[in-house]
Amino acid sequence: MTDTAHRLPAPTRDVLAELRPLLDALAAVAVQGKIPDPQLLARAVAAQPALSALAGDPRTGEPYSRSVLRVDDQVEIMLARWRPGHGCAPHDHGGAGGFVIAVEGDFDERRFTWAGTQLAVAESAVRQRGTVIEISPEVIHDMSAPGGGLSLHLYSPPPAGMRVFDLQRAEVLELVGNYGAWIPSGEHRRTPFAAVAPQQPVIWVAHTTHYRGGSAEFAVAAATMGRELAAAHPDAEVVVSGLHRKADFAAELARFTSSGRVISQLHLISHSGMYGPMFGSTDWPEQFSPHEWQDMTIPFAADGQAFFHACRTARWFTPFFADVFGVATFGNHNYTTVSARKDRFAWAGRQPTARPSLYLIAAPGRKSHGWAGSMRKYLGCAAEPMVHSSPAAAQHERSYDRVADLYDRAYADIRVRQAEWQWVAGRLAATHAELGRRVRVLEIGCGNGALLRALDDNGDIDFAVGVDSSAGMLARARERNRDRTRLRFGQVSGPALDVPDDHVDVVISFLSFRYLDWDPVMAEIRRVLAPGGRLWVVDMVEQPTRIRDLPLLARSAAAHLRTRRERPGFTHDLATLTNHPEWRKMLQHNPIRAEHEYRWYFGSRFPGAGLQTLTASRAARVVAFDSGPLAKGQTTPLTYP
């Protein structure tokens, strides 16, 4: 502090002249960032009578007096006369360094360190008369003088202010001006400790515990990774934790945040769907949707990194994660497997969890490369390196806006998708007959409105609402349907639907469910459906052909050839769309999900209802889901935060 708290007693010129050489020598040492040598320290203690004459008495209620002997642009020299049995509050020195000399009496000193968002005593010591106490810029300490005392303080550069820490209220006061190291009276701006505590980096190694097989192996692999990271980063705190549900992941993040810790590395060992890590179990699968990730806060350090040790995470999820959280993110392009070695595949035996160390590596296998890939793996192929994704300089284009014209031209008549169209149209006609009235419909992901237009032609619709996130597609829908009074269209962003409760009889997602935030939008679907309402989903999924699928594959191929022959214009327009660079770029950020993701999801949310396969190709197929009549309520328990 640079202001004098008390007027100095009027010293004689002889006393000032006597002290000046000592003060000059002490100041030179402080400016150099050093402490006095024994000879200089002895001189300072011997000057106690003269120094004592310069020190005023403490004011009422204050633990010590402050008498500034010198202050310039390099150093501040201050005397403190201490009231017996009193002490100051914990404080720092405004970024200054220096030293304190116990000129008279003994002092009790405590030094503090941050323990999360609280200050904890790191060291306690008795500083006897003649002791020098070194002060570095980061020191937070307090002092008391049981029998009273006199201390000489030198700080360089002169502090313009300091922080005083109120331990009882866990708050810090920023003091500038005529204040000492105690809690001043009156109103002063206070900041919670949590806002000023240094953030402690942590390496978090998490693994799922119940989703599919391998959870026991995941636990061993996570423990192995934790040991190796601790050895590689001896100064880091490594936390290994098992996670069952999404809520466990969120709760662990909340604990890190509340304790003031930041994540320097996040490692998650898990199974994964196309859109990221899977939690829960196959009986009740859980996955953070893109919308939920975007609403989440993860306390990453400035140089934080994320590693997702799971199948296919690099295809869509890790680039998305890197963009959302602004950190370098790593994932695997192909499938992962448990290995006894980190650098290449080594079979872990029939009881892998009995091994002290296991690793999760990416390697060719039967799922990704067929039987040839499986042979390569078991012959000891090298582990594939994780794929690095950096935050993009610009947001990726995930909507259909740039291909809206091409899509509208190809699918002006949705009946070109004959199998899918017949499945939906047949069910809507049956629902019309069952209800004895026309059907109220909501389509999520309506695109250019072609499906609703065709259903309206059949006379089964009372009214229909089509929603989509693409402004370009909605413009085509409104233009093509401007004369249809039963149809209206609206734009959505995120899972919320601008539709009243109990408003529709049927919700349809036609070739769009893979783009949606599944659990959040499912809550909205259940809200807008009237009692007894239905959900119909038709979508394309990734699934290699199996032997039992060959008859369906043959029928699908024949239907495709028939469409090409009967509708050559559609074939040309479809090829123009699917070969366009903007379409290919858009698909990179809207990948097709695997079939088992749909089976497990719908099987858990709607017990007893299953998927029906409509068409098949070599690596993909179109599946359909009919929930049947639904009682009013949610697909409980919904577990997203």
Side-chain angles (χ1 to χ4, degrees):
M1 306 293 289
T2 58
D3 291 345
T4 304
H6 303 284
R7 287 186 177 276
L8 294 176
T12 65
R13 293 180 181 273
D14 292 341
V15 174
L16 287 175
E18 176 188 347
L19 288 175
R20 186 171 295 112
L22 171 64
L23 298 181
D24 288 344
L26 291 171
V29 172
V31 169
Q32 295 174 28
K34 300 178 180 179
I35 60 174
D37 60 26
Q39 292 77 19
L40 184 56
L41 181 60
R43 286 175 56 194
V45 174
Q48 181 268 335
L51 292 170
S52 182
L54 299 177
D57 292 327
R59 291 174 176 172
T60 301
E62 296 178 357
Y64 62 86
S65 65
R66 297 181 57 255
S67 301
V68 177
L69 304 184
R70 179 185 299 179
V71 61
D72 54 32
D73 59 353
Q74 290 189 307
V75 70
E76 175 184 286
I77 305 176
M78 185 268 289
L79 273 172
R81 169 72 70 188
W82 291 79
R83 189 183 302 277
H86 288 69
C88 64
H91 62 281
D92 66 10
H93 304 85
F99 52 85
V100 178
I101 299 174
V103 176
E104 176 186 315
D106 296 337
F107 294 84
D108 293 333
E109 185 202 16
R110 298 188 302 174
R111 298 203 170 200
F112 295 84
T113 188
W114 287 103
T117 58
Q118 297 297 318
L119 280 177
V121 176
E123 177 187 356
S124 298
V126 176
R127 309 299 187 184
Q128 296 179 330
R129 179 177 183 268
T131 300
V132 62
I133 305 169
E134 186 172 7
I135 303 296
S136 57
E138 68 275 6
V139 163
I140 299 173
H141 76 150
D142 64 13
M143 293 175 61
S144 62
L150 180 68
S151 55
L152 180 63
H153 302 244
L154 287 93
Y155 302 118
S156 180
M162 65 177 172
R163 297 186 300 175
V164 175
F165 299 86
D166 187 338
L167 296 181
Q168 187 172 10
R169 293 175 55 173
E171 294 173 336
V172 61
L173 293 85
E174 299 271 356
L175 301 181
V176 178
N178 190 18
Y179 296 102
W182 54 82
I183 307 298
S185 59
E187 292 296 323
H188 296 272
R189 182 173 176 270
R190 290 170 171 266
T191 304
F193 279 4
V196 299
Q199 296 176 317
Q200 179 183 0
V202 62
I203 297 175
W204 183 24
V205 181
H207 64 93
T208 54
T209 58
H210 287 73
Y211 190 81
R212 298 184 68 184
S215 295
E217 289 94 328
F218 286 176
V220 178
T224 304
M225 184 180 294
R227 291 194 303 270
E228 294 187 354
L229 287 169
H233 304 275
D235 296 331
E237 177 189 9
V238 178
V239 176
V240 179
S241 51
L243 309 172
H244 180 192
R245 300 196 178 279
K246 290 162 48 179
D248 299 333
F249 184 89
E252 197 76 353
L253 287 179
R255 281 192 287 271
F256 290 140
T257 301
S258 64
S259 63
R261 291 178 289 180
V262 293
I263 297 173
S264 60
Q265 292 184 31
L266 163 61
H267 295 263
L268 180 57
I269 298 174
S270 69
H271 290 285
S272 178
M274 183 57 73
Y275 282 74
M278 301 299 301
F279 300 86
S281 65
T282 54
D283 292 332
W284 190 269
E286 298 178 0
Q287 186 177 43
F288 287 112
S289 68
H291 180 75
E292 292 172 279
W293 285 115
Q294 289 165 338
D295 281 353
M296 190 183 300
T297 298
I298 299 181
F300 278 113
D303 58 349
Q305 297 176 309
F307 300 80
F308 292 92
H309 306 270
C311 301
R312 306 180 301 163
T313 47
R315 299 191 188 184
W316 180 85
F317 179 71
T318 55
F320 165 80
F321 190 93
D323 289 350
V324 170
F325 293 99
V327 297
T329 308
F330 299 80
N332 299 305
H333 184 77
N334 286 319
Y335 286 83
T336 55
T337 185
V338 172
S339 171
R341 288 180 56 170
K342 183 194 297 187
D343 60 333
R344 61 180 56 253
F345 178 77
W347 186 47
R350 296 186 181 279
Q351 294 182 316
T353 55
R355 289 179 171 270
S357 298
L358 287 177
Y359 302 92
L360 202 70
I361 66 169
R366 185 168 59 86
K367 285 185 178 180
S368 57
H369 295 79
W371 290 107
S374 182
M375 290 180 62
R376 284 177 56 199
K377 182 176 80 171
Y378 281 96
L379 288 173
C381 67
E384 297 175 353
M386 298 189 82
V387 179
H388 177 197
S389 296
S390 298
Q395 287 295 315
H396 296 297
E397 179 59 61
R398 292 188 168 93
S399 80
Y400 274 60
D401 284 349
R402 295 185 180 179
V403 294
D405 284 334
L406 295 175
Y407 186 94
D408 184 52
R409 191 177 307 139
Y411 288 108
D413 184 354
I414 201 63
R415 285 167 287 214
V416 295
R417 302 198 70 109
Q418 186 177 18
E420 297 93 323
W421 156 251
Q422 289 177 347
W423 189 90
V424 174
R427 273 168 170 71
L428 194 67
T431 303
H432 183 179
E434 179 184 335
L435 295 176
R437 59 172 173 80
R438 294 188 179 190
V439 185
R440 302 169 298 172
V441 176
L442 167 66
E443 185 186 4
I444 302 176
C446 65
N448 66 347
L451 177 64
L452 295 183
R453 184 167 61 253
L455 293 173
D456 189 34
D457 288 341
N458 282 6
D460 294 316
I461 289 178
D462 177 16
F463 68 81
V465 178
V467 296
D468 203 288
S469 63
S470 169
M473 296 294 278
L474 287 170
R476 276 73 180 174
R478 293 187 178 108
E479 174 63 24
R480 285 190 177 275
N481 297 286
R482 61 183 181 275
D483 297 328
R484 294 181 181 255
T485 59
R486 299 181 191 276
L487 308 184
R488 66 179 178 88
F489 300 92
Q491 190 167 12
V492 292
S493 176
L497 300 173
D498 187 17
V499 177
D501 294 358
D502 304 338
H503 193 59
V504 297
D505 304 304
V506 173
V507 173
I508 302 172
S509 175
F510 191 80
L511 300 173
S512 64
F513 197 72
R514 62 184 178 273
Y515 306 141
L516 305 181
D517 295 337
W518 284 8
D519 263 355
V521 81
M522 193 61 68
E524 284 288 273
I525 289 171
R526 297 303 297 267
R527 178 183 64 80
V528 304
L529 276 174
R534 298 159 168 84
L535 168 64
W536 300 338
V537 175
V538 176
D539 211 352
M540 185 175 292
V541 298
E542 189 180 71
Q543 175 62 52
T545 301
R546 298 160 295 203
I547 293 177
R548 65 176 181 269
D549 299 324
L550 292 179
L552 176 61
L553 181 65
R555 291 194 300 272
S556 300
H560 178 68
L561 291 173
R562 188 164 55 251
T563 300
R564 293 186 61 178
R565 184 175 63 253
E566 296 174 355
R567 295 175 177 264
F570 165 69
T571 303
H572 174 269
D573 292 339
L574 181 62
T576 302
L577 169 67
T578 56
N579 290 322
H580 196 279
E582 291 294 344
W583 175 263
R584 294 178 181 273
K585 185 186 302 183
M586 185 273 297
L587 287 184
Q588 290 177 4
H589 307 293
N590 293 286
I592 298 174
R593 293 181 186 252
E595 183 187 40
H596 66 258
E597 295 183 58
Y598 284 74
R599 291 194 182 279
W600 292 338
Y601 182 79
F602 287 117
S604 64
R605 272 52 174 181
F606 303 92
L611 292 183
Q612 178 183 349
T613 303
L614 302 183
T615 66
S617 63
R618 185 178 60 84
R621 61 191 58 207
V622 174
V623 296
F625 170 79
D626 181 350
S627 69
L630 296 172
K632 192 60 184 173
Q634 291 190 337
T635 52
T636 56
L638 292 177
T639 57
Y640 59 91

